[in-house]
Amino acid sequence: MSLPEKIEVSADRKYPVYLGAALEDLGGYIHSLPDKVEQILVISHKKVADLYLERLMTGLGDYTVDLMIVPAGEEEKSLDRLSRLTTDALGFGADRKTLVIALGGGVIGDLAGFFASVYMRGIRLIQVPTTLLAQVDSSIGGKVAVNHPAGKNILGAFHPPVAVWTDFRTLDSLPWIEVENGLAESIKHALITDSDFFSFFETQADSIKRRDPVIWREMVARSASIKVRVVSQDEREQGIRRLLNLGHSFGHALETEMNYRGVTHGQGVSIGIVAAAFLANAKGLITLNEVERIKQVLRCYDLPTSISRQDPHALLQRMETDKKNQGGRKILILPQGIGNAVVSKECKDEEILDAWQKVILEDN
Ligand SMILES: NC(=O)c1ccc[n+]([C@@H]2O[C@H](COP(=O)([O-])OP(=O)(O)OC[C@H]3O[C@@H](n4cnc5c(N)ncnc54)[C@H](O)[C@@H]3O)[C@@H](O)[C@H]2O)c1
Ligand SMILES: O=C(O)C(=O)C[C@@H](O)[C@H](O)[C@H](O)COP(=O)(O)O
Ligand SMILES: [Zn+2]
């Protein structure tokens, strides 16, 4: 077993992101923490716990560990589930010395993270991401949240973890549909910051699809490093971090309008990136050839670039609750060429509607 690579988020508080770590070694790391841990709550999905809890427990033998299983699905990022977790945690006697381990994908990371951020006004959290999306994106940066019927991630916090513990081997059991979600965020990272990394997705498609371990390691490491770099500069999303939201104003609108059914987060982001690219083209920020290049790379990984049976006006209305909006003005992230993006404060509703029309298929 090779030693994990350590990169560090350097924001208000520093914390390590271990890439290529072993689940079995997490206990040793927790023992080494300066502030003693008295008890551990592992929050996970049944499927993930069945696959990986035993490995995690190898290193946690000295601790009282309680497991809290959450049903799978975006709907579980809810206040109702938060309340149930709280009841269970109180039943287990969890206190301020308790550590939460989020073992799972982005849903578990966001939900368990939000629980950790508010339980007794905040307890420690370690993110153990087991999906590609969580390893390249959601486990890093401290954003945690639950949804509200009116909008996605409306109730949330910035609650940086003590550490991110990434074991690449957990990705072996991930179905392709879940891989796609991670690829959408990873391609987004490339599109906003690194044209060379964008070309990587064009040239390495065969290796990525065949899950070549060396190429996957490079992909996760490059993508996670971009996220680390951005959130280290702007943890609270006042400036550059907003670029990580490329495609999300559109994507979140779709997810909420469709009640989180029939569209995953990554699929919403993929369609959202294309809509943002069309809007950027209308503003002269990107050529139509570049828009086509973006669509091609997404399609190459089976990601959607359009959607049918949607009302653009309803989707525009959904964008009213976007967290980037200011004083009723919609603020959107737009690609500027490939490998660069800008915050656009000049987006009129008609322009946004036009962009929606370009990704909504006509029904016959
Ligand atoms: N906080 C952030 O910065 C941030 C960033 C991006 C996305 N997100 C959020 O992340 C969520 C999406 O996360 P996701 O795509 O990881 O979905 P997910 O967490 O719902 O996981 C997808 C499915 O994969 C299963 N799974 C997890 N690990 C597995 C493994 N190793 N093997 C087999 N199956 C496994 C899960 O049980 C689940 O059924 C959304 O709620 C999104 O808003 C948050
Ligand atoms: O970390 C960020 O910042 C991001 O925007 C990453 C996104 O991929 C992620 O989906 C995030 O949860 C979106 O945040 P939100 O505040 O727009 O809900
Ligand atoms: Zn996202």
Side-chain angles (χ1 to χ4, degrees), residues 14 63 122 162 168 181 183 223 281 316 355:
K14 286 190 193 338
Y63 294 103
V162 170
F168 297 135
N181 291 317
L183 287 170
S223 195
N281 173 254
L316 182 70

Side-chain angles (χ1 to χ4, degrees), residues 326-340:
Q326 272 174 14
R329 269 184 308 129
K330 295 188 181 64
I331 297 187
L332 286 161
I333 311 309
L334 302 180
Q336 186 171 40
I338 305 280
N340 194 23

Side-chain angles (χ1 to χ4, degrees), residues 132-150:
L132 182 63
L133 178 140
Q135 296 195 358
V136 301
D137 188 352
S138 62
S139 63
I140 305 164
K143 271 192 181 178
V144 293
V146 296
N147 303 324
H148 181 274

Side-chain angles (χ1 to χ4, degrees), residues 45 74 77 106-107 110 130-131 138 143 152 170 173 178:
H45 286 152
E74 180 72 31
K77 272 176 58 176
V107 164
D110 280 11
T130 64
T131 62
S138 62
K143 271 192 181 178
K152 176 128 172 163
T170 59
S173 54
E178 301 302 341

